[in-house]
Structures are given as C-alpha cells and as structure tokens.
Amino acid sequence: MRILLRARESRWLAPAAVLIAVAITLLITAGPIRLAGANPVAAYERYLVTPLSTLNGVTEVLLASTPLIFTGLAVAIAFRVGYYNIGAEGQFLAGAIAATVPGLYLPDLPAALALPLALGAGFIGGAVWAFLPAWLKRHAKIDEVVTTLLLNPVALLLVQGLLNGPWRNSASGFPDSDTYGPGYTLPPVTDGSRVHWGLIIALILVAGTWIVMSFTPLGLRLRAAGQAPAAAQFSGIPVARLQWRCALISGGIAGMGGASQVLGVQHQLTAGISNGYGYTGIVVATLGALTAGGVLLVALLLGTIAVGAQNASISLQLPTQMGAIVSSTLLLAVVSLMALRRYRVVFGRRRPSGGPSLDETVATASEPDAAAKVGVR
Amino acid sequence: MDFPLFAVLAAMFTIATPLVWAALGAVINERAGILNLGIEGTMYAGAFCGFFAAATSGSVWFGLAAAVIAGALAGALMGLLTVTLGVNQHVAGIGTTLLLVAACNFANRLLFSSGSQTITAKFDRLFAGGGMLSQYPLTYVAFLLLAPALWWVLRSSGFGLRLRAVGENPEAADAAGIPVARTRYAALIIGGAMMAIGGSFLTLSLLGTFTIDIVSGRGWICIALVIFARWKVWPAVAGALLFAVTDALQLQLAISPLFSGVPNELLIAFPYLVVIAALAIWGRGIRYPGAYLKPYRRA
C-alpha cells in the first residue's frame, strides 16, 4: 500500500471531503448520544434544524455566533501570515476588561461617545494582551504558541481578581461588576430581539478582511508571507513585520469581540464572559479555511450547534458538552479529510519498470515542487 | 514570619510530579518531531479515566492502568492525525484537547449526574510524617526512576538514537533504514501514556476525586517547560521544580498575614508569569528539532 500525491486536485474534491467529514462526524457522535439515552436523529435535528426553524431560534443563533465571528476572524488573520495566535481567549477577556473601564468610571457619557470609546478600548485591550508574545516572537524568536497560550489563564485570573477586588458588585457583593452606565449598551439590530450591533460590526470586519485579503496588494503579501515565508522574504516582503502587525490586529479584533459581548449582552463584566470563545475561534478559523467568508459560515454553523445543544439538553436531557464533542469531532474529521484529499491510496506493488506514471509519483509533503516534477497539467 | 522551608520544599516535589510526567512525555514527542498540543486533553483524559476505573473497580492500580491506556489511545489518535495524515500539528493538538476535555466532561455528567462524586481509594504518601521525604509513590518514580531512565534512553539506547534521528532528519533516518512513521507512533503512544499518568496523579494521588477543570492549564505549562528545557530531560525536571516552587510559595504566601493585601489571583498567576519570563530570558535563539512541525513523506 502506498500513498501517492494527486497530480491534480479536482474541483469537487474539497466539498466532497467536507461532506464525507460531516457524515463521519454524525456516525462517530451517534455512539455517545445513544449512550446518553437519546435518539441520534432527534439530537441532530435539535442541533442543526430546530434552531433555524423559528424566528426566535434564528436570532438566538445570530447572538451565539457573534463572538465566534470575532474570535474566528482574529485567529484566521494571524494564522494566515503564519503567526499561530492561540491566545484569542485571553485577548477576548482583556478586551472585555478594557471596555469595562470607561463603562464603570465614565458612566454618564452619551452613547455616541461611550460606545466608540468602549469598543476602541476593547481593541486596544486585546492588542495589549497580544503585544508581549508578538514582541518576543519578533525580537527573540520565541515560539508564540507557548506565550499566547500561557497568557490565557493569566487574563482569566485578572478578571477574577478585579471582580473579587475593586470591581466587586457594590449592591449584591457578588463577584460581578456593577452595571455600566446607560450609554454603554449596543442597541438591538431589530426592536425586541437580543441580536445587537456587535453582529453588524463583526460583519463589517468580515467584509473588510475579505476585501483586503482578496483584492489588495497587501493581501497578496500577507498570503505570500504565510504560505511560503522563505520565498516571500527573498522577494522582499518583510515577513516578520507583517506577522507583528497582524498579531496585534488579531489581538485587537479578539478584544473587540470581548467588548461587544459585555456591551451587547451582559452590560457588566462577569467571570464566565468568555465561555471558551477564544479556543472555539481556532476551530472556526480552521474549518473556515482561514478565509473571511469561511469564518462567517462556520461561526453560524457552530452558533447553530451551540443553540441546539442548549435545546437538546432541555428536551432530550443530553448534556450540553455533546455540542462541543460534535464541533471538535467535526474539526478533526475535516482537517483529516482535507489532508487526505491531496493524496490517494494505492494498493499493490510499485510498477517494476518504466518509472512512475504521470500522476503516480510518490508524494512528498516536504518537497513543494513534487507536483511540478510529475508534470502537472 | 517563620518561613516554613521544609513545607515549601515538600510541596514543591508534590506539585512538580504531574508536570514531570507530562513534560517528559512531551519531550519524547517533540524529540521525534511532533508538537503535541493534545497534552492538556491527554492529562484530562488520564485524570478522568483513572478516577473512573478506580472508583468502579475499587483499585487504584486499575485506575492507573486505565489512565495509561487512555493516554496511549490519545497518542495513537495524534499519530493518526499528524503522522499518517500530515495534519497541521497545532490544529490537530488543539482539536484533540477540545475533544478529550468535552468527552470526559460528557462522560462525567452521564456517569455521575448526581453531582457528588465518590471518593476513591487513593495512593498514600510513603513514610507518613517524614517531612520532605513523605511523598506519593509516583513522585519517587518520577524523580528517581523515570527521569534518569529517560535521560539514559535518549542519550545512549538504540531507541533513543532512532527517536532523535526521526526528529532531526527523517530523510536521513529513512535512508538509514529507520521506520520513521512507526518510531513516531511509538513516541506519541509512550509520551501520551506518560502525560495521562501525570493527569491521573491529580485524581488518584492528590485529590482522590475528579472535579471539572482539574488539570487547569498544567498541560500548557508543560509545553512551555519543554521549550524552556530545550528538549533535554534534566532541564525539564528543573523547570518543573521551578514552576512548582513558585506555586508552593504562592500557597504559603496566600496564608501568610504579610501578604494579606495581595490578591490571591495575582499569586496564582505568578508561576505563569515566571515561566514566560524564564522563556524570555533563556529562550532566545533556541534551535528546534530539525523536523519540528513537519510531516514526513518518503520521497
């Protein structure tokens, strides 16, 4: 049995791989759903169909997707230039903290000033939290994966410390901050719904990222820096500087997500504000193929599953963790099949003579010109 | 203030034990060229499966065996993803961690939905009342057996040489007849089992019960320790002790009246900041294993 590189990737292969991955995910997760005493088909219906079948459900999905669009976009922008920012969780929390500062200390500002101030503070808070790892990466070549990761628990401890100390609720004494001034509320998109303007901001960021990545010279340089850093460096693209800037922008967007969450949903800082959105952002970015449109679609899909998991825990007594199992299994299945689609498995022995046929040269992942060697058409 | 030096040192060895097991497992993985970010999830699975098996069978040894099996399976899953399929190692590892943590929490909810978890039989400290020497069996094994043995294996044994060869230069190793994929699978399975033993230490030795978020970032600490240690055994042990001593100090300071004004959270965050500072000071210009993060396919 040998694994061969495909000489040419057919167009239908990527969508087919995703569909097969979805099928595999459904098959694998049916086991635990059965163990929990629920009917898998009914569970999948709760996860994927029920949330989208009512208007109320759709708004809940949009609400649940909003923070995931922010964190997914943040991770995608960084990954795209080859900067592995695993710290969106901490940056999200730092943004929520930063947005809380004006919310508590300048409570009387009118909304026209308060919201830009708080959102800007959120961006800066996230960027500040991303600063140290990016600086260490640029000036001391220290792996950003480790440093961004280690700052996540520190951010959570900072939130807890503030809520147990100076920001403890003055009325109830619980470890939640006081409610912000009235100007610090992102208004609902439509009257009476819980979907707030954070969604619109997220969509604007998605559109902006798409335009920059697809249609500008900067986007071309960014993609080159991520895909082939050595070649990009050689052709005069300042890879380290681009990574540095994208790292800070990535942190800033994640931080703005945290600000949007406190301003749009909670109107106060709580310790459970993030709910793992930063880590789920890695799933969103990866499944979305690090593209803006992909991030939007996957964030909506995972938002649907999250709302569905809540429904299923009520109606089917299925623990909500099943939603996380479904989404992480989906992640692993998709990346596996996407990796597999570049190769094909051939059984039997290598042809004894005549050399390799046109598309049967054995694959090498480390050799970028393997496809060229076999004469890609 | 009467500084309780021996209490801090005793606590240091206890706190360092899960870190040593897991960090040395990560050393094995990374020397073979695989960055395993599944470590946090693998430790979590070890803690949960160890607890579950011990609670149902009544034997801590069954618990330990279950943790080893769970860790080996987690390592094999990482092998399937990164060695066979060549998936990006960051994504494969994060995905594995998310999956294992969610699966354990799900199983925990199903099996112990009543909420109150039974306290299992647990490993006892040897030499009870012996001060610093009074430690859990796995602590002695980690420092006196595991670390020297792994140091020797990596330096001098045939397996260690093959492991380093596939991590440094898989093309050359392959040409020399070393089975690259099989060696990497072996590294991931052995390393995974060690990480899970580290996780099971929390439930089977330290606490005797399982709580949500019991690993609480120790896996990520180990990833940092391994880089800090430049993939060497003894520096990894030293790094674990450094982290542990700051943690033990933090526990002491938290109860000391001198530091009553300092928020507890700041003290808990202190070890994380120490690891980052240590990386910033000693981590510059380090040379990664040659095949780090690169999947290998025979040319």
Side-chain angles (χ1 to χ4, degrees):
Chain A
M1 187 184 116
R2 288 172 297 144
I3 296 175
L4 305 177
L5 186 72
R6 284 179 194 276
R8 185 171 58 169
E9 226 174 64
S10 29
R11 283 192 147 267
W12 49 267
L13 219 51
V18 171
L19 285 181
I20 297 169
V22 170
I24 290 176
T25 305
L26 295 182
L27 276 177
I28 291 178
T29 51
I33 292 175
R34 273 227 176 284
L35 278 180
N39 179 347
V41 177
Y44 298 138
E45 205 184 324
R46 291 293 188 296
Y47 287 144
L48 298 169
V49 182
T50 316
L52 300 176
S53 60
T54 64
L55 187 62
N56 185 43
V58 171
T59 61
E60 286 301 303
V61 166
L62 292 174
L63 186 70
S65 305
T66 303
L68 296 179
I69 302 175
F70 278 104
T71 54
L73 198 62
V75 173
I77 286 172
F79 276 30
R80 202 70 203 254
V81 286
Y83 182 88
Y84 284 93
N85 177 15
I86 316 284
E89 180 81 2
Q91 292 144 14
F92 186 94
L93 291 168
I97 294 172
T100 303
V101 173
L104 290 182
Y105 296 108
L106 298 168
D108 298 326
L109 283 188
L113 289 176
L115 288 176
L117 179 66
L119 286 168
F123 186 91
I124 292 169
V128 164
W129 212 252
F131 177 86
L132 182 67
W135 190 85
L136 287 174
K137 162 90 168 180
R138 190 176 179 189
H139 294 283
K141 300 238 178 333
I142 290 172
D143 189 25
E144 72 277 15
V145 172
V146 177
T147 45
T148 51
L149 256 176
L150 286 180
L151 283 175
N152 291 340
V154 177
L156 184 60
L157 287 164
L158 183 59
V159 171
Q160 289 167 348
L162 287 167
L163 293 180
N164 283 321
W167 288 357
R168 185 183 287 272
N169 194 300
S170 58
S172 68
F174 286 124
D176 306 322
S177 81
D178 287 351
T179 308
Y180 306 151
Y184 293 88
T185 302
L186 282 167
V189 173
T190 57
D191 277 339
S193 84
R194 293 172 67 212
V195 185
H196 54 84
W197 269 75
L199 176 68
I200 307 294
I201 297 168
L203 292 178
I204 292 170
L205 288 174
V206 165
T209 307
W210 177 64
I211 290 167
V212 168
M213 278 295 182
S214 309
F215 302 112
T216 64
L218 173 65
L220 189 67
R221 282 202 290 276
L222 292 173
R223 282 180 288 158
Q227 271 167 10
Q233 187 81 47
F234 185 71
S235 57
I237 295 173
V239 175
R241 201 194 310 157
L242 288 179
Q243 285 186 340
W244 156 258
R245 288 181 185 168
C246 284
L248 295 185
I249 291 172
S250 165
I253 290 177
M256 232 172 156
S260 130
Q261 199 68 5
V262 288
L263 298 170
V265 183
Q266 311 252 6
H267 312 299
Q268 59 173 182
L269 186 66
T270 60
I273 183 81
S274 171
N275 198 15
Y277 293 135
Y279 295 109
T280 314
I282 299 166
V283 179
V284 172
T286 309
L287 288 185
L290 308 186
T291 63
V295 163
L296 180 61
L297 283 178
V298 175
L300 291 171
L301 171 70
L302 294 194
T304 310
I305 293 178
V307 172
Q310 295 292 341
N311 292 346
S313 83
I314 297 164
S315 60
L316 302 174
Q317 272 77 51
L318 199 56
T320 47
Q321 289 90 351
M322 198 61 223
I325 295 180
V326 171
S327 52
S328 48
T329 308
L330 186 65
L331 169 75
L332 294 178
V334 170
V335 292
S336 301
L337 279 145
M338 288 309 227
L340 205 58
R341 104 204 129 113
R342 288 179 53 220
Y343 304 100
R344 59 203 191 87
V345 178
V346 169
F347 294 93
R349 294 166 62 83
R350 189 191 281 258
R351 228 167 282 170
S353 66
S357 77
L358 204 55
D359 62 351
E360 275 199 355
T361 297
V362 181
T364 62
S366 55
E367 223 175 339
D369 58 351
K373 243 195 227 166
V374 294
V376 173
R377 289 142 288 186
Chain B
M1 180 179 99
D2 213 9
F3 185 70
L5 176 67
F6 287 104
V8 167
L9 288 180
M12 173 181 81
F13 283 107
T14 310
I15 296 170
T17 302
L19 299 176
V20 168
W21 278 97
L24 293 184
V27 165
I28 297 180
N29 286 181
E30 297 190 24
R31 275 295 185 87
I34 310 279
L35 170 67
N36 185 353
L37 293 184
I39 180 169
E40 177 85 5
T42 307
M43 289 180 81
Y44 204 83
F48 177 73
C49 296
F51 163 75
F52 173 65
T56 46
S57 71
S59 155
V60 278
W61 294 103
F62 271 116
L64 194 61
V68 167
I69 292 168
L73 288 176
L77 173 66
M78 271 301 285
L80 175 70
L81 293 168
T82 58
V83 179
T84 305
L85 296 170
V87 170
N88 173 312
Q89 293 178 8
H90 295 122
V91 174
I94 296 276
T96 302
T97 288
L98 289 176
L99 177 63
L100 291 177
V101 171
C104 290
N105 285 340
F106 176 80
N108 183 51
R109 265 288 295 280
L110 284 190
L111 297 164
F112 305 99
S113 55
S114 57
S116 68
Q117 316 231 338
T118 41
I119 305 288
T120 72
K122 69 187 198 78
F123 287 109
D124 286 322
R125 287 176 189 268
L126 306 179
F127 314 116
M132 222 178 91
L133 275 181
S134 170
Q135 298 285 353
Y136 296 102
L138 279 179
T139 307
Y140 294 103
V141 176
F143 287 95
L144 302 177
L145 225 66
L146 179 71
L150 185 61
W151 174 75
W152 180 84
V153 164
L154 283 178
R155 196 184 63 119
S156 311
S157 76
F159 177 68
L161 286 174
R162 288 196 293 276
L163 200 73
R164 278 153 48 204
V166 301
E168 282 298 333
N169 191 339
E171 290 81 10
D174 195 6
I178 298 171
V180 176
R182 211 184 305 158
T183 309
R184 286 186 167 172
Y185 262 101
L188 282 165
I189 288 170
I190 296 168
M194 284 165 59
M195 293 167 188
I197 291 174
S200 78
F201 178 83
L202 301 170
T203 47
L204 295 182
S205 296
L206 218 47
L207 297 178
T209 186
F210 175 81
T211 56
I212 296 288
D213 201 27
I214 189 170
V215 179
S216 64
R218 285 182 180 84
W220 308 129
I221 293 282
C222 290
I223 295 284
L225 286 179
V226 171
I227 292 180
F228 165 71
R230 303 182 186 208
W231 300 274
K232 292 188 168 67
V233 171
W234 291 114
V237 173
L241 287 172
L242 171 72
F243 179 88
V245 80
T246 57
D247 208 22
L249 272 176
Q250 172 266 117
L251 292 172
Q252 282 297 330
L253 296 181
I255 55 170
S256 122
L258 209 65
F259 286 82
S260 58
V262 182
N264 196 23
E265 290 82 6
L266 190 68
L267 296 173
I268 303 175
F270 184 58
Y272 293 95
L273 299 173
V274 167
V275 173
I276 293 177
L279 268 179
I281 295 166
W282 292 295
R284 49 184 67 220
I286 44 179
R287 209 185 65 79
Y288 286 77
Y292 202 61
L293 298 177
K294 290 189 199 114
Y296 174 68
R297 296 242 180 270
R298 183 180 284 192

